[in-house]
Amino acid sequence: MNLIEAIENRKSIRAFKPDPIPDEILKKILKTARMSPSYTNTQPWEVAVVSGKIKDELSRELYKIASSDTAITPDIPKPLVWPEKLERRSKEHGERRFRVLGIGREDTEKRKNLRLLNFKFYDAPAVLFIFMDKNLGEWSIMDIGMFAQTIMLSALEYGLGTCPQAALTDYPHVVKKYLNIPESKRLVLGISIGYPDDKALINTYRSIRIEMDEFVRWY
């Protein structure tokens, strides 16, 4: 798969096979991702690769706290208000995904259960948590975004799928406790990774992108 094909074919995977990922493949992906650009070459990313028993224990703890509707306390606050166009895109995206899964607008229980799948890591065999120092700001967050994109594109080379999950940053104190991460670090993103379950209905959904003329001005 060439680079353009990888970019055009990448999508968020929300159902994985149980097959473990060889450590050597994960190492190759992360070695590639380290070539990502960063502001003045600061390379602010720090990664925890979690699998096996610790992943399962962490999943149970996150699922328990999320299912009890505990208030979220992310290190990076979630947006409270979106510009109108962006708000519309987000709502339309959610509604289309619910329709694919046969979940009605008023079915709050199924919608909640769908959100809770985040904390099972969609049954992925591994999850990557990306941290940065709390003293760093917006430029470093952008750097980590580029780093995360490189991970997700590199994964395709090995037949792997990924899902970047903002929800995995909802309870950073739980993640840090299990992984022995100091409070001087901010949890920026979680990425579930594994071999896609192509038979899963949820993986048939693909989000729609706006046309180029909607976001580009030519001068």
Side-chain angles (χ1 to χ4, degrees):
M1 181 179 293
N2 67 36
L3 180 58
I4 299 300
E5 289 174 333
I7 294 169
E8 292 180 344
N9 284 283
R10 188 217 62 81
K11 66 176 182 178
S12 292
I13 299 299
R14 292 183 172 87
F16 294 90
K17 297 177 181 178
D19 310 38
I21 308 167
D23 287 347
E24 192 56 38
I25 289 179
L26 288 171
K27 289 177 182 178
K28 287 180 178 179
I29 291 169
L30 292 168
K31 283 180 179 178
T32 301
R34 71 196 174 98
M35 304 306 295
S36 303
S38 63
Y39 184 71
T40 66
N41 197 37
T42 45
Q43 304 171 67
W45 41 77
E46 300 177 35
V47 184
V49 182
V50 185
S51 60
K53 182 181 178 182
I54 296 224
K55 176 185 73 75
D56 295 339
E57 291 175 351
L58 177 55
S59 173
R60 284 192 291 270
E61 188 66 21
L62 287 171
Y63 190 91
K64 179 181 177 181
I65 194 171
S67 60
S68 66
D69 296 321
T70 302
I72 66 173
T73 56
D75 288 334
I76 299 175
K78 301 287 182 68
L80 298 177
V81 178
W82 295 97
E84 183 180 351
K85 287 193 300 184
L86 277 63
E87 178 78 15
R88 184 174 65 251
R89 290 174 199 158
S90 178
K91 287 183 177 179
E92 289 173 351
H93 163 68
E95 293 301 327
R96 283 193 299 268
R97 189 169 52 163
F98 290 139
R99 282 198 298 272
V100 166
L101 296 172
I103 299 176
R105 180 185 296 272
E106 306 304 322
D107 198 336
T108 56
E109 187 66 24
K110 285 186 177 179
R111 291 189 175 212
K112 179 180 178 179
N113 289 337
L114 186 63
R115 174 180 177 269
L116 289 175
L117 289 177
N118 278 283
F119 305 102
K120 291 185 175 182
F121 311 130
Y122 298 115
D123 294 325
V127 59
L128 312 177
F129 289 97
I130 306 178
F131 300 87
M132 73 177 197
D133 193 277
K134 276 190 173 179
N135 291 326
L136 300 175
E138 288 84 355
W139 283 100
S140 294
I141 294 173
M142 183 171 69
D143 293 340
I144 287 175
M146 293 187 282
F147 177 76
Q149 173 80 331
T150 307
I151 287 173
M152 292 184 281
L153 293 177
S154 299
L156 293 172
E157 180 70 18
Y158 304 97
L160 295 165
T162 55
C163 187
Q165 295 167 252
L168 296 185
T169 70
D170 285 352
Y171 307 103
H173 62 287
V174 176
V175 177
K176 292 174 190 176
K177 179 187 76 172
Y178 269 83
L179 305 183
N180 196 27
I181 304 293
E183 280 302 320
S184 60
K185 307 297 179 181
R186 284 203 282 182
L187 176 55
V188 182
L189 185 66
I191 303 177
S192 290
I193 183 169
Y195 298 97
D197 181 355
D198 295 326
K199 296 180 180 179
L201 181 62
I202 197 169
N203 283 340
T204 65
Y205 173 75
R206 179 136 197 188
S207 56
I208 296 173
R209 295 298 190 263
I210 62 174
E211 294 298 328
M212 180 183 67
D213 289 345
E214 293 188 52
F215 63 87
V216 177
R217 295 180 182 178
W218 300 90
Y219 294 91

